Amino acid sequence: MALYLEVVEGDNLGAKFKIFPGVRIGRSAADIILDDPRVSGLHAQVEKNAKEQLVLLDKNSSNGLWINFRRVKRVTMLPGVTFSVGKSVFKVIDHIPGVQPGMLKGGAYSWQLVLLEAIHSLTLVDQVADLNKAALQPFHRPLQLKFILGLQAGREILIGFGPRLFGKSQADFMVQEPGLGDVFFSIEPLEDGALLKDNSLGQVKINKRVMSQCFLKNGDEVSLGNTVIKIQYL
């Protein structure tokens, strides 16, 4: 069963994030970023307990996790549970009927957004399954993807581990580019960097060149249709 966090109070009201082991919440060193002085750089992280349940663990933060006005060290991720991180209140949910992924305030996307439930393509399901066979691994350095042209110009995405799919409804990260298929490309972690793989049959270009895969470097530009994304290692 997939689980999600929905912001029910705070600056990112309405945003939704899919959660699984490794997802981090914090002010800077995190995947779900909260611009809040009461939130530590790395505040909490999702892990599995001995019962294979997802739990959110406090990572020695300054202000902790709170449930019903009581500070706790961990929160079991069960549907309906609500808890606070700084001034933000999250609710654990297990069903999101046909919604767009939540965006963080200021246009920065979380590294892992909501997957829509509807399955539109068997081929796409196979692609997602192939990527998910490998355990998620951290990138050598976090990657920032900055949209410099297209419908999402000015948006930024920060990813901490992968592999990650970029595309439309079934991807981890939504790219608003009409006229293309569902999955555009993936980015996978390597020991000393990141590898981009084209899933669009040549519609994705790296530095204006068609490549089936490419080791990403600082300043590389990924283009598809009218969208251009600049790559930066942090």
Side-chain angles (χ1 to χ4, degrees), residues 198-216:
D198 177 22
N199 295 89
S200 71
L201 301 177
Q203 297 183 83
V204 171
K205 297 180 181 178
I206 299 94
N207 300 324
K208 300 182 179 180
R209 296 176 57 195
V210 174
M211 305 172 71
S212 60
Q213 59 183 35
C214 175
F215 179 82
L216 292 174

Side-chain angles (χ1 to χ4, degrees), residues 12-29:
N12 304 318
L13 183 65
K16 301 174 180 68
F17 309 94
K18 188 176 181 182
I19 56 171
F20 42 82
V23 171
R24 302 164 299 174
I25 298 176
R27 195 176 67 250
S28 56

Side-chain angles (χ1 to χ4, degrees), residues 103-209:
M103 276 196 305
L104 292 179
K105 186 178 182 182
Y109 284 87
S110 71
W111 57 265
Q112 172 64 22
L113 299 179
V114 176
L115 292 178
L116 299 182
E117 291 185 1
I119 301 300
H120 301 295
S121 166
L122 180 60
T123 301
L124 177 60
V125 174
D126 291 339
Q127 290 172 344
V128 174
D130 287 343
L131 280 177
N132 288 339
K133 286 177 184 176
L136 291 170
Q137 298 293 327
F139 285 94
H140 175 65
R141 291 163 59 190
L143 279 173
Q144 181 185 65
L145 283 71
K146 189 171 199 178
F147 290 75
I148 57 177
L149 289 176
L151 295 174
Q152 294 162 276
R155 308 298 190 193
E156 295 180 359
I157 296 173
L158 178 67
I159 56 176
F161 60 89
R164 292 286 166 237
L165 284 173
F166 294 79
K168 293 185 181 176
S169 58
Q170 299 299 320
D172 298 318
F173 296 96
M174 180 78 73
V175 179
Q176 297 177 19
E177 186 56 52
L180 298 182
D182 282 307
V183 177
F184 304 154
F185 61 90
S186 63
I187 297 181
E188 304 177 14
L190 299 175
E191 287 188 4
D192 55 352
L195 182 71
L196 183 146
K197 291 185 177 180
D198 177 22
N199 295 89
S200 71
L201 301 177
Q203 297 183 83
V204 171
K205 297 180 181 178
I206 299 94
N207 300 324
K208 300 182 179 180
R209 296 176 57 195

Side-chain angles (χ1 to χ4, degrees), residues 27-73:
R27 195 176 67 250
S28 56
D31 307 298
I32 299 175
I33 296 178
L34 303 176
D35 185 12
D36 180 348
R38 288 178 286 180
V39 175
S40 298
L42 172 57
H43 198 101
Q45 181 168 318
V46 177
E47 297 180 12
K48 273 190 177 182
N49 62 16
K51 297 180 180 179
E52 294 295 302
Q53 295 172 309
L54 293 181
V55 293
L56 183 66
L57 301 179
D58 183 3
K59 303 300 286 186
N60 298 314
S61 66
S62 298
N63 294 302
L65 304 170
W66 293 80
I67 296 181
N68 295 329
F69 304 103
R70 182 169 63 92
R71 184 167 178 168
V72 297
K73 291 294 292 182

Side-chain angles (χ1 to χ4, degrees), residues 213-234:
Q213 59 183 35
C214 175
F215 179 82
L216 292 174
K217 305 181 297 298
N218 265 333
D220 280 348
E221 292 187 357
V222 180
S223 58
L224 54 154
N226 295 316
T227 298
V228 178
I229 304 168
K230 189 169 185 176
I231 305 294
Q232 184 72 41
Y233 286 96
L234 300 179

